[in-house]
Amino acid sequence: MTKQGHIRVDDERADRGERRATIEVSADDSRELWFTSDHGALSTDTADAFLLGSLLVWMSTGVDVHVHGTLTRRLLAGLEEWQAAWVLWRPDRYRKITITADTVIDATPRACC
């Protein structure tokens, strides 16, 4: 059975310029990732930034990831090639993983600032 981790986004403070997510790699490996802005509210359209900010962690552990939220189809398509490149460059360190999400949309997220 393949291991699967999770990205769980907490947008409770997004209107104050802060988005957080819990990166659950395994039962005993949980990390926090956050983004802040001094320019007001942050967009909560997608979880793309959280996936990008943690992708090398997922690839280095070889754990597939499920995003509890929305990702863009464009990001997912680009990450196929990006992962393949890293696996070629550093096969000793990174493995291709499967990425899933609750929702995948065609739209490009709006700028936050």
Side-chain angles (χ1 to χ4, degrees), residues 72-82:
T72 59
R73 194 170 316 284
R74 181 177 178 184
L75 175 71
L76 289 173
L79 289 181
E80 287 295 318
E81 186 175 350
W82 192 83

Side-chain angles (χ1 to χ4, degrees), residues 22-106:
T22 302
I23 311 303
E24 299 170 357
V25 179
S26 68
D28 58 347
D29 185 358
S30 181
R31 308 164 192 205
E32 292 291 319
L33 179 61
W34 65 93
F35 296 96
T36 60
S37 170
D38 293 334
H39 302 287
L42 290 174
S43 169
T44 58
D45 292 348
T46 74
D48 286 7
F50 293 108
L51 177 59
L52 285 171
S54 62
L55 190 57
L56 290 177
V57 169
W58 299 110
M59 291 178 66
S60 68
T61 60
V63 174
D64 294 337
V65 61
H66 179 78
V67 176
H68 296 270
T70 302
L71 295 175
T72 59
R73 194 170 316 284
R74 181 177 178 184
L75 175 71
L76 289 173
L79 289 181
E80 287 295 318
E81 186 175 350
W82 192 83
Q83 285 192 76
W86 275 103
V87 170
L88 282 173
W89 294 331
R90 294 294 308 269
D92 58 315
R93 182 159 186 155
Y94 299 113
R95 292 175 288 288
K96 186 178 182 310
I97 61 160
T98 300
I99 301 165
T100 57
D102 290 343
T103 307
V104 177
I105 60 173
D106 289 324

